[in-house]
């Protein structure tokens, strides 16, 4: 891993150990209950393939892509999987930082302590996130001995069993319906990336462009991680909740002008992917999830409210509020386009990077319809 002053910028092993040590315990279940939950989630993941592909019509019959693994994990498993992905994705950024800091004043000090400090603070943030994620399609997932991924750089689908059980109990909804509903959302993401061959490389290219534009001293990133970590422990300095830069997310704080342009495109793509997954999980729902209306209503209320003032502050700092807007804005875009031109008309969005919506078109779906359908139909 990239190092500065002879030490890693992030002690990844320490990040994993810290996150697992600080992660909240999952809900109480017996060993037999745990086995039944894992088996049911695997069944739902398999059943979701047919439901999602039939509803979206993204993958023609006879053109099924290579399979990617479904992993039902606990919170520690989610942490390990995401750290592996972070290491792979952030390599170019850390290599650039190494070039900037090499031989500069303070680099030896940073190299001596920075990796461990950053590892601890990243671990604290991962522990916070590990109790909140229900599922995830890991697009950039390097295989490990315990965490296989698809062939030729394909991803893997993660379902975080303790978090799913925690939320279904908190919402007091039918657990079998809720588990299938979550599986439908994550299977939609898997269908997006396995059914659209160019999407993974396009998204990776945009992320690397964003990272290549980064012009931030490593110590600045350490300070931002420290600020977020202090929020978890209640040690954040007085008067820093919403003053100046402290009201902005970590992503916003490190932007350069070039990054803002890339981030606009990334925001549009992520809004599309998340909104499409929400649209599909609710669209499939009535046929296979009898209580889908109740689940959606309660889940939306939970998303909107946040658990506490601390939770709301962290959501803002980590950019999670922006993710919630992506679900909402993207779902509105997909619904409006499907209402206007049907599912097959909407699926033109997957033709090439040029047919992806812009950030402005996410807000004005009619503009995307006019641009893409006028060009393709003329």
């Amino acid at each position: 891993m990239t190092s500065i002053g002879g030490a890693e910028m992030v002690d990844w092993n320490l990040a994993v150990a810290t996150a697992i040590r600080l992660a909240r315990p999952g809900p109480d279940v017996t060993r037999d209950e745990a086995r039944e939950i894992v088996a049911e989630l695997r069944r739902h993941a398999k059943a979701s393939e047919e439901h999602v592909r039939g509803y979206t019509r993204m993958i023609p019959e006879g053109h099924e892509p290579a399979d990617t693994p479904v992993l039902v994990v606990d919170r520690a498993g989610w942490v390990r999987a995401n750290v592996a992905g972070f290491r792979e994705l952030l390599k170019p950024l850390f290599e650039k930082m190494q070039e900037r800091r090499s031989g500069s004043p303070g680099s030896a000090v940073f190299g001596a302590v920075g990796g461990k400090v950053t590892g601890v603070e990243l671990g604290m943030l991962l522990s916070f996130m590990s109790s909140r994620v229900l599922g995830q399609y890991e697009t950039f997932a390097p295989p490990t001995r315990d965490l296989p991924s698809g062939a030729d750089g394909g991803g893997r689908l993660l379902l975080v069993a303790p978090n799913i059980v925690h939320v279904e109990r908190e919402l007091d909804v039918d657990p079998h319906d809720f588990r299938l509903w979550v599986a439908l959302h994550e299977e939609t993401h898997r269908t997006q990336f396995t059914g659209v061959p160019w999407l993974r490389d396009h998204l990776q290219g945009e992320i690397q462009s964003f990272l290549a534009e980064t012009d931030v001293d490593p110590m600045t990133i350490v300070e931002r991680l420290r600020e977020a970590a202090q929020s978890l422990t209640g040690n954040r300095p007085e008067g820093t909740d919403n003053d100046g830069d402290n009201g902005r997310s970590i992503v916003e704080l490190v932007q350069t002008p070039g990054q803002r342009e890339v981030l606009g495109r990334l925001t549009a793509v992520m809004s599309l992917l998340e909104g499409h997954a929400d649209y599909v999980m609710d669209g499939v729902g009535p046929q296979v999830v009898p209580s889908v209306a109740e689940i959606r209503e309660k889940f939306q209320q939970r998303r909107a409210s946040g658990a506490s003032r601390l939770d709301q502050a962290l959501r803002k700092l980590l950019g999670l509020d922006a993710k919630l807007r992506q679900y909402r804005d993207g779902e509105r875009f997909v619904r409006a386009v499907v209402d206007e031109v049907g599912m097959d008309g909407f699926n033109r969005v997957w033709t090439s990077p040029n047919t992806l919506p812009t950030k402005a078109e996410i807000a004005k779906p009619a503009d995307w319809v006019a641009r893409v359908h006028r060009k393709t139909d003329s």
Side-chain angles (χ1 to χ4, degrees):
M1 186 58 207
T2 303
S3 63
I4 291 182
E8 291 184 350
M9 284 193 65
V10 177
D11 187 329
W12 297 103
N13 292 333
L14 184 57
V16 170
T18 301
I20 292 174
R21 179 168 54 86
L22 296 178
R24 298 176 183 177
D28 290 331
V29 295
T30 67
R31 183 171 297 181
D32 287 342
E33 286 175 325
R35 279 197 290 262
E36 290 173 5
I37 291 165
V38 170
E40 182 176 20
L41 287 171
R42 292 187 185 281
R43 289 196 302 271
H44 285 332
K46 184 63 179 175
S48 294
E49 288 185 42
E50 181 179 350
H51 296 316
V52 169
R53 292 178 185 183
Y55 187 78
T56 63
R57 302 199 289 273
M58 289 179 63
I59 300 176
E61 191 173 347
H63 292 78
E64 288 78 9
D67 200 12
T68 53
V70 175
L71 306 178
V72 180
V73 298
D74 58 10
R75 290 168 180 172
W78 180 87
V79 167
R80 292 189 183 97
N82 277 267
V83 165
F86 287 156
R87 290 186 73 161
E88 188 70 20
L89 204 57
L90 294 177
K91 267 184 186 177
L93 174 62
F94 286 168
E95 287 170 356
K96 179 178 179 178
M97 288 182 171
Q98 182 185 30
E99 292 174 2
R100 280 194 60 182
R101 294 288 296 182
S102 180
S104 63
S107 62
V109 175
F110 182 90
V113 300
K116 293 193 179 300
V117 170
T118 310
V120 169
E121 289 166 351
L122 179 59
M124 293 175 69
L125 298 181
L126 286 169
S127 73
F128 172 82
M129 295 296 298
S130 70
S131 64
R132 284 157 173 77
V133 177
L134 302 182
Q136 176 182 356
Y137 183 73
E138 273 205 297
T139 315
F140 313 107
T144 67
R145 183 181 61 184
D146 300 321
L147 295 164
S149 61
D152 301 323
R156 56 187 170 224
L157 192 154
L158 306 179
L159 295 171
V160 190
N163 296 349
I164 293 172
V165 173
H166 171 79
V167 173
E168 70 193 24
R169 291 179 179 179
E170 180 184 306
L171 298 181
D172 190 25
V173 294
D174 182 280
H176 309 294
D177 283 3
F178 184 74
R179 293 167 196 173
L180 177 54
W181 190 69
V182 172
L184 288 168
H185 182 100
E186 303 309 329
E187 176 57 37
T188 303
H189 286 315
R190 179 160 68 160
T191 298
Q192 290 163 349
F193 283 95
T194 57
V196 184
W198 53 264
L199 184 58
R200 179 185 182 277
D201 288 344
H202 173 73
L203 189 59
Q204 184 174 31
E206 291 284 58
I207 292 171
Q208 295 304 335
S209 294
F210 181 85
L211 296 178
E213 287 284 341
T214 298
D215 189 27
V216 177
D217 184 271
M219 290 305 296
T220 302
I221 291 183
V222 171
E223 287 302 315
R224 298 311 178 192
L225 285 171
R226 182 170 296 118
E227 184 180 343
Q230 286 172 345
S231 295
L232 286 172
T233 60
N235 293 326
R236 197 172 179 193
E238 290 292 331
T240 59
D241 286 342
N242 294 300
D243 298 337
D245 281 351
N246 293 293
R248 302 166 66 190
S249 73
I250 289 175
V251 171
E252 291 171 323
L253 286 166
V254 302
Q255 279 187 67
T256 65
Q259 282 180 304
R260 281 193 288 273
E261 183 178 342
V262 178
L263 189 61
R265 298 195 299 269
L266 276 171
T267 299
V269 174
M270 298 310 297
S271 296
L272 170 68
L273 299 180
E274 296 293 357
H276 183 236
D278 262 14
Y279 178 84
V280 171
M281 74 194 294
D282 287 347
V284 172
Q287 288 76 44
V288 298
V289 183
S291 59
V292 64
E294 177 193 0
I295 291 173
R296 168 55 72 187
E297 181 181 2
K298 290 183 175 180
F299 195 74
Q300 288 289 73
Q301 291 172 354
R302 183 180 185 272
R303 267 184 183 172
S305 63
S308 64
R309 186 170 180 268
L310 169 62
D311 190 64
Q312 291 169 359
L314 273 167
R315 287 192 339 189
K316 174 65 178 175
L317 187 60
L318 299 175
L320 299 183
D321 279 350
K323 187 172 179 66
L324 296 181
R325 289 194 297 272
Q326 288 171 3
Y327 286 109
R328 183 186 65 239
D329 297 344
E331 195 275 341
R332 258 201 311 260
F333 170 84
V334 176
R335 185 173 301 280
V337 172
V338 173
D339 287 347
E340 179 70 20
V341 296
M343 185 64 75
D344 291 332
F346 165 79
N347 280 341
R348 291 187 183 181
V349 78
W350 313 117
T351 303
S352 75
N354 293 329
T355 56
L356 291 172
T358 65
K359 189 176 178 181
E361 288 170 340
I362 288 287
K364 295 184 177 180
D367 290 354
W368 179 88
V369 172
R371 175 173 68 87
V372 172
H373 282 264
R374 183 174 61 243
K375 285 183 178 180
T376 56
D377 294 341
S378 59

